[in-house]
Amino acid sequence: MIQAESVLDVADNSRKVLCIKVLGGTRRKYASIGDIIVVSVKEAIPNAKVKKGDVMKAVIVRTAKEIGRADGSYIRFDTNSAVLIDNAREPIGTRIFGPVARELRAKKFMKIISLAPEVL
C-alpha cells in the first residue's frame, strides 16, 4: 500500500522517487501493484533522461504489503518499487531490474512485463 509521501525505489534505474498523489479518485488514499501514481524524482543518476525535481507518472510493480490472488495465495516483495512511465503508459527506461508481479498483465502494462527479467 503506497500513499502520499511514500518513498519508492525505481525498478528501471537506481533512483528514489516520492509519491505525491495516488490517481484514480478524489478520496483514494492507497495504491497497490498496477496502480498509477504521480511522483517527484528525489535522486537521479547523472546524464539520465530524468532529473532531480521532475514530476512524472509511475506504475507500482512491487509492494512490501502482501496482495491476495484469486487462487487464495498471497505475494509480497522486500521493497516498494515503481517504473516511470510517459503519457502513453510506456516505460521511460529501457531496462527493468528485479521481478515484477503478474497483476501488471491484467492492467495492460505489456511492455513492462516483456522488459522484466522475471514475472511472479
Side-chain angles (χ1 to χ4, degrees):
M1 291 181 4
I2 308 299
Q3 59 185 351
E5 300 297 318
S6 295
V7 177
L8 297 95
D9 296 328
V10 179
D12 54 2
N13 268 323
S14 56
R15 292 185 288 242
K16 296 276 187 195
V17 293
L18 178 95
C19 176
I20 296 174
K21 183 77 175 160
V22 177
L23 298 180
T26 55
R27 291 178 184 84
R28 188 146 184 221
K29 288 184 181 180
Y30 307 114
S32 186
I33 291 176
D35 292 337
I36 298 175
I37 58 174
V38 179
V39 297
S40 171
V41 177
K42 291 298 180 187
E43 292 178 21
I45 61 173
N47 303 323
K49 292 181 183 177
V50 295
K51 304 288 182 237
K52 181 179 176 186
D54 286 355
V55 176
M56 319 195 78
K57 289 184 181 176
V59 61
I60 299 171
V61 295
R62 293 191 288 267
T63 58
K65 175 68 177 169
E66 70 275 354
I67 58 168
R69 290 190 165 161
D71 63 357
S73 64
Y74 289 89
I75 185 168
R76 71 171 173 215
F77 298 92
D78 292 337
T79 60
N80 297 320
S81 296
V83 172
L84 298 175
I85 57 173
D86 58 12
N87 288 333
R89 294 171 50 129
E90 296 291 324
I92 291 175
T94 55
R95 298 181 298 170
I96 292 180
F97 300 108
V100 298
R102 194 181 314 127
E103 282 77 8
L104 292 175
R105 190 180 304 274
K107 301 273 180 113
K108 306 276 193 295
F109 289 105
M110 293 304 185
K111 183 78 171 179
I112 295 174
I113 294 280
S114 66
L115 290 173
E118 188 175 7
V119 179
L120 298 179

